Amino acid sequence: MLALVDCNSCYASCEQIFRPDLRGCPVVVLSNNDGCVVARSKEAKSLGIPDLQPFFKIEYLLRKHGVTIFSSNYALYGDISNRVMITLRQFSPEVEVYSIDEMFLDLHGLQECPLDYGQQIRQTLWREIRMPVGVGIAPSKTLAKLANRAAKKIPKCQGVCILDSPQKWQWLQRRTEVSDVWGVGRRLSKRLGHLDIKTAYDLAQANPKILRRHTNINIERTIEELNGVSCLSLEEQPSARKQIYCTRSFGEKLIELQPILQAVTLYASRAAEKLRAQASLVKSVHVFLHTSPHEPNYYSRSTVVQTPYPTDDTRLIVQLVKRAVSELYRRECRFLKAGVGLVELVPSSLGQGDLFTQGQPVRAGEAMQAIDHINQRFGRGTLFLGAEGIKKKWKMRQQHKSPAYTTRWDELPEVAT
């Protein structure tokens, strides 16, 4: 049996951990630059607050219902997610971190009652972290996803759903639209609809060989999984990303070159951190810059630059990015967004130069390792390149940002005595 543990309204729940006064109250979290609603608490959903809607369009509705608004605080969410995953490892020796708020657990050989074990997982996460979760347990990943959805949607489940027999998962499949099946999505569900496949049960009973002619081989695996046959194994070590991007809209439209250079320096630094975290080197860097598409004379340009050798040195990457942006820049434009992408990656163990290039100096790697260690210990941004600037007027809007309760010493919560 496999279990899928999924945090309920993850970002909103993270904000409520250190604000117990907001538990049971409507809460929403906004995207970068306070643009759209990307997370809603259960209470906000019950008020009819729509998801992925521009903040300025529904601000009146949020104020009307007394909804508490937060800007995205990714440092907090990432740290809370890490604590949840560490706690879940107590319940299984084999796990897969599927996303920031989801983890698969291998429960093969479990001697306890699955329902009791699922409740134990929920109670432990609430007691130790104050994170509410749903638990779905089934023989395959796809059924575990289905069970987890039921655990959250059906009050009688009390947060835990067990699909351990065909009768149980077929009952649920008949009441689940095919578009809600893991791996199907909107486009594929439309194509399946033309074949008179409307529900998960219809898909589970379909002939996989015939459907494969109209779709692809993945549909066969999905059908097998819906019938309790595990076809997707746990990935205990997530595969390295093939590309790493860091893109942001500016807090205000920028005309001068200098603040744009400061911004892309930060973006390149963030991307380089992620590059080193997965032990990779970069050979090509993609840089783009554009104005607002809603304004006249829309301007958008991009370029790809090659590194002299495979590298993870922030200083070299920033140097190349700044040179590229200077070439893309046009004085008469009001720029809205820029981005840096590391697009040709190789494992650091395979990074080598050619006959005429020595490759990255050893001391460069040591310097980057020291910077990462200090920033991990004392908080991101403790050490940074001076090219980022000190007063960052271009920084994205975060007017409702909560403190970094768990990752900055100066923002630790204080206990009144």
Side-chain angles (χ1 to χ4, degrees):
M1 299 288 279
L2 299 172
L4 175 64
V5 182
D6 185 8
C7 300
N8 298 340
S9 304
C10 182
Y11 291 176
S13 294
C14 287
E15 298 290 357
Q16 292 172 319
I17 289 175
F18 294 95
R19 290 288 306 275
D21 57 306
L22 294 180
R23 292 173 193 161
C25 299
V27 171
V28 299
V29 178
L30 306 178
S31 64
N32 291 336
N33 261 325
D34 294 344
C36 300
V37 173
V38 293
R40 303 161 293 161
S41 67
K42 178 179 66 175
E43 294 76 17
K45 294 176 183 177
S46 65
L47 290 173
I49 305 299
D51 193 20
L52 301 177
Q53 290 295 310
F55 175 53
F56 75 92
K57 286 188 176 181
I58 62 171
E59 183 176 3
Y60 77 94
L61 184 62
L62 300 177
R63 306 293 185 190
K64 175 183 175 181
H65 291 290
V67 178
T68 304
I69 303 164
F70 287 100
S71 301
S72 296
N73 187 345
Y74 296 118
L76 174 65
Y77 309 153
D79 187 68
I80 296 298
S81 170
N82 185 54
R83 296 177 187 220
V84 168
M85 302 310 172
I86 291 174
T87 303
L88 285 174
R89 291 181 188 276
Q90 303 172 14
F91 294 93
S92 174
E94 297 182 21
V95 299
E96 175 190 337
V97 179
Y98 180 66
S99 68
I100 191 173
D101 62 345
E102 293 178 278
M103 178 181 261
F104 285 103
L105 285 70
D106 188 344
L107 300 184
H108 288 105
L110 179 66
Q111 300 298 317
E112 299 182 38
C113 169
L115 182 60
D116 293 341
Y117 203 66
Q119 289 295 346
Q120 185 182 343
I121 292 173
R122 293 186 70 244
Q123 292 163 10
T124 301
L125 289 173
W126 178 254
R127 182 179 64 251
E128 298 186 6
I129 306 176
R130 285 297 187 265
M131 174 59 70
V133 299
V135 181
I137 300 177
S140 67
K141 277 187 171 182
T142 304
L143 283 178
K145 273 276 192 177
L146 205 63
N148 186 277
R149 187 172 182 273
K152 294 183 175 183
K153 297 281 186 182
I154 303 175
K156 191 175 180 180
C157 290
Q158 296 183 334
V160 179
C161 178
I162 313 294
L163 300 181
D164 53 3
S165 68
Q167 292 79 13
K168 291 182 181 180
W169 65 64
Q170 288 175 7
W171 180 91
L172 187 58
Q173 288 170 358
R174 288 189 176 95
R175 291 158 178 80
T176 304
E177 294 184 8
V178 70
S179 58
D180 292 325
V181 174
W182 187 39
V184 173
R186 293 182 180 179
R187 287 188 179 180
L188 183 53
S189 64
K190 288 183 179 179
R191 296 168 69 181
L192 293 174
H194 295 314
L195 300 173
D196 202 31
I197 296 176
K198 309 292 185 182
T199 67
Y201 180 78
D202 296 335
L203 180 58
Q205 301 304 311
N207 187 317
K209 302 299 181 183
I210 294 177
L211 282 189
R212 181 176 175 178
R213 299 173 193 167
H214 298 276
T215 55
N216 54 52
I217 190 174
N218 293 327
I219 201 69
E220 290 192 53
R221 298 194 187 102
T222 300
I223 292 174
E224 292 289 337
E225 289 255 325
L226 285 172
N227 285 288
V229 179
S230 181
C231 300
L232 304 172
S233 59
L234 291 185
E235 298 180 11
E236 296 186 52
Q237 292 296 329
S239 57
R241 284 179 282 186
K242 297 180 180 179
Q243 296 182 343
I244 298 175
Y245 271 83
C246 184
T247 67
R248 297 284 188 277
S249 295
F250 305 131
E252 58 184 38
K253 294 182 177 66
L254 300 178
I255 300 176
E256 298 179 0
L257 176 61
Q258 187 57 34
I260 298 176
L261 293 177
Q262 293 178 355
V264 296
T265 297
L266 174 62
Y267 304 163
S269 299
R270 292 284 189 266
E273 286 178 15
K274 297 176 182 178
L275 179 73
R276 293 190 292 271
Q278 70 173 38
S280 295
L281 303 174
V282 63
K283 298 170 67 177
S284 300
V285 182
H286 176 219
V287 184
F288 71 83
L289 188 66
H290 67 74
T291 62
S292 171
H294 304 292
E295 292 186 356
N297 301 319
Y298 173 64
Y299 175 80
S300 176
R301 286 190 64 192
S302 67
T303 186
V304 175
V305 294
Q306 303 293 322
T307 61
Y309 46 79
T311 182
D312 61 5
D313 188 340
T314 298
R315 298 166 299 178
L316 175 58
I317 296 172
V318 166
Q319 180 183 353
L320 296 172
V321 167
K322 290 176 65 178
R323 186 183 306 161
V325 167
S326 298
E327 295 174 358
L328 300 178
Y329 172 77
R330 283 177 56 175
R331 183 173 299 176
E332 66 273 14
C333 295
R334 300 171 69 238
F335 290 100
L336 175 67
K337 188 174 183 178
V340 175
L342 310 182
V343 294
E344 188 179 357
L345 309 185
V346 295
S348 55
S349 59
L350 302 179
Q352 64 181 62
D354 53 34
L355 181 63
F356 306 102
T357 306
Q358 293 184 350
Q360 178 167 284
V362 174
R363 297 198 66 180
E366 294 174 347
M368 295 301 103
Q369 189 176 25
I371 291 174
D372 289 343
H373 177 72
I374 291 172
N375 285 334
Q376 288 169 5
R377 182 174 180 181
F378 297 102
R380 172 178 279 178
T382 302
L383 287 183
F384 60 91
L385 297 185
E388 291 182 20
I390 304 299
K391 296 181 180 180
K392 304 172 182 177
K393 295 182 179 180
W394 45 267
K395 213 169 181 182
M396 65 180 181
R397 292 187 299 274
Q398 290 181 301
Q399 297 179 356
H400 310 280
K401 184 175 177 291
S402 57
Y405 295 109
T406 63
T407 54
R408 294 191 65 90
W409 287 106
D410 56 339
E411 296 185 12
L412 288 175
E414 296 180 2
V415 179
T417 57

